[in-house]
Each structure stands twice: as structure tokens, then as C-alpha cells.
């Protein structure tokens, strides 16, 4: 997010309809929360919206994420975690941070840019201990809360989670 590009006229919405033209989901390692949010947002936002995710530090792919996404017929495919520095585009209309350290970093990086930054505090399910089912339950809770928040924020009236 080093060099901002020119901001679209009319503020940070970026689109005539009022929604952001580009959204970045940012967390610590881009291995759990932000990739889930990226994939879930793709179901709600228009195809024309550029959606990405990143971490502030390098991370590794988490197999529990794949498991809970598969329950919703979603898959990350050959996706791999990436850092902010690895992003191809460095400007976003909206940065959604999912962890305190990511929020602090986003505010620092965007303080001289016309970028909207929102903080959605989200539990890190990798901190949960217990049986495989208890751990999966924590990951499901994160998936479901992100799906609900994305639907509320971006006007996705369609149900994103059916159980």
C-alpha cells in the first residue's frame, strides 16, 4: 500500500452505486480470517469489485479453513497466504481489518490517503484448543460471523449461510 493511485471523484466509494470498487481484508498472517472474508465477500459483492486479502506478516495455509469452507461448497483452490508487500495493487477504497495489529498497520499506512478503514474484531480460532470438533466449531463460528457481517455491510440480502 505504498503508492496511492488517484482517488475516484466523489469520495472513497469508488462506484456509482455507492459500494467500494476495491476491498482489502487484512489480518495478521492471511491464513484464516482474511482469506475466509475474501472468499465470502466474493459471493456477495458484484463481480466488478476487486477483492483481496493479505496479512501483515507471512503465514501458512490453514487446513481447518479449507475444511469449514468446503462445508459451504467453497474452496480457496491454489490460493496461498500473502503479505501486504506481495499485493499487485496497492490502493483500495476500503480496508477491513480483522485483528488489532492489522488495524494499527492499516491506519499507519493509510493516514495520508483517502481510504476508508473499518475494524471488525474477529476471534483467531487457531488459539482454541480441544478436540478436532471443538476446533472446527471455532472456525465455523468465525466463518459464519464473517458471512453475516459481510452481508450486513455490503447489502447482500441473500443468505450466505444455510444450516
Amino acid at each position: 500500500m505504498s503508492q496511492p493511485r488517484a482517488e475516484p471523484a466523489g469520495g472513497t466509494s469508488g462506484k456509482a452505486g455507492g459500494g467500494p470498487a476495491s476491498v482489502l481484508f487484512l489480518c495478521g498472517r492471511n491464513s484464516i480470517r482474511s482469506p475466509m472474508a475474501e472468499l465470502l465477500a466474493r459471493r456477495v459483492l458484484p463481480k466488478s469489485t476487486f477483492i483481496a486479502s493479505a496479512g501483515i506478516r507471512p503465514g501458512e495455509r490453514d487446513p481447518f479453513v479449507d475444511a469449514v469452507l468446503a462445508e459451504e461448497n467453497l474452496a480457496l483452490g491454489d490460493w496461498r497466504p500473502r503479505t501486504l508487500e506481495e499485493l499487485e495493487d496497492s490502493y483500495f477504497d476500503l480496508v477491513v481489518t480483522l485483528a488489532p495489529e492489522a488495524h494499527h498497520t492499516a491506519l499507519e499506512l493509510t493516514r495520508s490517503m483517502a481510504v476508508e478503514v473499518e475494524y471488525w474484531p474477529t476471534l483467531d480460532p487457531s488459539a482454541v484448543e480441544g478436540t478436532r470438533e471443538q476446533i472446527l466449531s471455532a472456525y465455523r463460528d468465525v466463518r459464519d460471523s464473517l458471512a453475516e457481517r459481510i452481508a450486513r455491510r455490503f447489502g447482500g440480502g441473500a443468505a450466505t449461510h444455510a444450516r
Side-chain angles (χ1 to χ4, degrees):
M1 295 179 57
S2 54
Q3 295 296 324
R5 64 180 180 214
E7 180 192 338
T12 60
S13 67
K15 284 187 160 181
S22 56
V23 179
L24 173 66
F25 292 97
L26 185 64
C27 69
R29 291 190 175 89
N30 191 222
S31 58
I32 300 171
R33 296 166 285 187
S34 56
M36 272 196 225
E38 177 184 356
L39 195 58
L40 293 164
R42 290 184 191 282
R43 294 199 313 186
V44 175
L45 288 162
K47 299 266 186 246
S48 60
T49 304
F50 180 75
I51 305 166
S53 66
I56 58 172
R57 292 182 311 281
E60 293 187 22
R61 190 157 172 168
D62 187 313
F64 287 114
V65 171
D66 291 311
V68 299
L69 289 174
E71 294 172 354
E72 297 297 319
N73 296 316
L74 295 170
L76 289 169
D78 61 359
W79 175 91
R80 64 169 189 79
R82 60 188 166 192
T83 62
L84 281 170
E85 292 77 26
E86 294 174 277
L87 292 175
E88 291 178 29
D89 195 349
S90 62
Y91 177 86
F92 294 85
D93 296 314
L94 172 62
V95 177
V96 176
T97 61
L98 304 169
E101 60 194 336
H103 189 66
H104 176 75
T105 299
L107 291 176
E108 283 296 312
L109 290 173
T110 63
R111 69 184 144 153
S112 64
M113 303 161 75
V115 175
E116 186 178 355
V117 178
E118 292 181 12
Y119 178 44
W120 298 358
T122 307
L123 170 79
D124 179 358
S126 68
V128 173
E129 296 180 359
T131 66
R132 176 177 171 79
E133 189 53 39
Q134 290 168 324
I135 294 168
L136 281 169
S137 180
Y139 278 72
R140 287 182 193 112
D141 288 347
V142 168
R143 177 200 63 204
D144 297 347
S145 67
L146 285 171
E148 290 171 19
R149 184 79 186 251
I150 288 165
R152 278 195 318 268
R153 170 59 173 88
F154 299 109
T160 57
H161 180 70
R163 281 212 184 253

